[in-house]
Short mmCIF file of all heavy atoms in Angstrom, two decimals:
data_model
loop_
_atom_site.label_atom_id
_atom_site.label_comp_id
_atom_site.label_asym_id
_atom_site.label_seq_id
_atom_site.Cartn_x
_atom_site.Cartn_y
_atom_site.Cartn_z
N PHE Y 4 -44.31 76.46 -26.19
CA PHE Y 4 -42.97 75.91 -26.25
C PHE Y 4 -42.06 76.90 -26.95
O PHE Y 4 -42.53 77.78 -27.67
CB PHE Y 4 -42.95 74.53 -26.95
CG PHE Y 4 -43.47 74.55 -28.36
CD1 PHE Y 4 -42.59 74.65 -29.43
CD2 PHE Y 4 -44.83 74.46 -28.62
CE1 PHE Y 4 -43.06 74.67 -30.73
CE2 PHE Y 4 -45.31 74.47 -29.92
CZ PHE Y 4 -44.42 74.58 -30.97
N GLY Y 12 -39.90 83.98 -29.90
CA GLY Y 12 -39.53 82.69 -29.38
C GLY Y 12 -40.59 81.74 -28.87
O GLY Y 12 -40.28 80.62 -28.55
N LEU Y 13 -41.87 82.13 -28.75
CA LEU Y 13 -42.86 81.22 -28.22
C LEU Y 13 -43.89 80.85 -29.28
O LEU Y 13 -44.29 81.67 -30.09
CB LEU Y 13 -43.58 81.81 -27.01
CG LEU Y 13 -42.79 81.86 -25.72
CD1 LEU Y 13 -43.66 82.45 -24.62
CD2 LEU Y 13 -42.30 80.50 -25.30
N THR Y 48 -52.84 83.87 -29.98
CA THR Y 48 -53.96 83.17 -30.59
C THR Y 48 -55.26 83.94 -30.35
O THR Y 48 -55.33 84.83 -29.50
CB THR Y 48 -54.12 81.75 -30.01
OG1 THR Y 48 -54.35 81.84 -28.61
CG2 THR Y 48 -52.90 80.90 -30.29
N GLY Y 49 -56.27 83.58 -31.13
CA GLY Y 49 -57.61 84.12 -30.96
C GLY Y 49 -58.61 82.98 -31.07
O GLY Y 49 -58.26 81.89 -31.53
N SER Y 52 -66.07 81.27 -31.66
CA SER Y 52 -67.14 80.35 -31.29
C SER Y 52 -68.21 80.42 -32.36
O SER Y 52 -68.56 81.50 -32.85
CB SER Y 52 -67.73 80.72 -29.93
OG SER Y 52 -66.76 80.53 -28.92
N PRO Y 64 -85.43 70.10 -36.18
CA PRO Y 64 -85.01 68.71 -36.11
C PRO Y 64 -83.83 68.55 -35.14
O PRO Y 64 -83.04 69.47 -34.96
CB PRO Y 64 -84.59 68.39 -37.55
CG PRO Y 64 -84.34 69.70 -38.20
CD PRO Y 64 -85.19 70.71 -37.48
N ALA Y 65 -83.73 67.40 -34.51
CA ALA Y 65 -82.66 67.14 -33.55
C ALA Y 65 -81.37 66.69 -34.23
O ALA Y 65 -80.34 66.55 -33.57
CB ALA Y 65 -83.11 66.08 -32.55
N LEU Y 83 -73.30 70.57 -35.25
CA LEU Y 83 -73.99 71.34 -34.22
C LEU Y 83 -75.50 71.18 -34.33
O LEU Y 83 -76.07 71.26 -35.42
CB LEU Y 83 -73.66 72.83 -34.33
CG LEU Y 83 -72.23 73.22 -34.02
CD1 LEU Y 83 -72.03 74.72 -34.22
CD2 LEU Y 83 -71.87 72.84 -32.60
N SER Y 102 -69.07 78.05 -42.85
CA SER Y 102 -70.01 77.64 -43.90
C SER Y 102 -70.69 76.35 -43.49
O SER Y 102 -70.22 75.65 -42.59
CB SER Y 102 -69.29 77.47 -45.24
OG SER Y 102 -68.27 76.51 -45.13
N CYS Y 116 -96.84 70.31 -41.43
CA CYS Y 116 -96.84 70.69 -42.84
C CYS Y 116 -97.69 69.65 -43.58
O CYS Y 116 -97.41 68.46 -43.47
CB CYS Y 116 -95.44 70.69 -43.43
SG CYS Y 116 -94.33 71.95 -42.80
N TYR Y 128 -75.53 84.56 -41.41
CA TYR Y 128 -74.38 84.54 -40.51
C TYR Y 128 -74.30 85.91 -39.83
O TYR Y 128 -74.23 86.94 -40.50
CB TYR Y 128 -73.09 84.28 -41.29
CG TYR Y 128 -73.10 82.98 -42.05
CD1 TYR Y 128 -73.60 82.91 -43.36
CD2 TYR Y 128 -72.62 81.81 -41.48
CE1 TYR Y 128 -73.61 81.72 -44.06
CE2 TYR Y 128 -72.62 80.61 -42.18
CZ TYR Y 128 -73.12 80.58 -43.47
OH TYR Y 128 -73.13 79.39 -44.17
N SER Y 139 -57.25 89.83 -28.35
CA SER Y 139 -57.84 90.54 -27.21
C SER Y 139 -59.35 90.42 -27.13
O SER Y 139 -59.94 90.85 -26.14
CB SER Y 139 -57.46 92.03 -27.28
OG SER Y 139 -57.96 92.60 -28.48
#
Side-chain angles (χ1 to χ4, degrees):
F4 59 96
L13 286 181
T48 60
S52 294
L83 293 178
S102 59
C116 293
Y128 302 88
S139 60

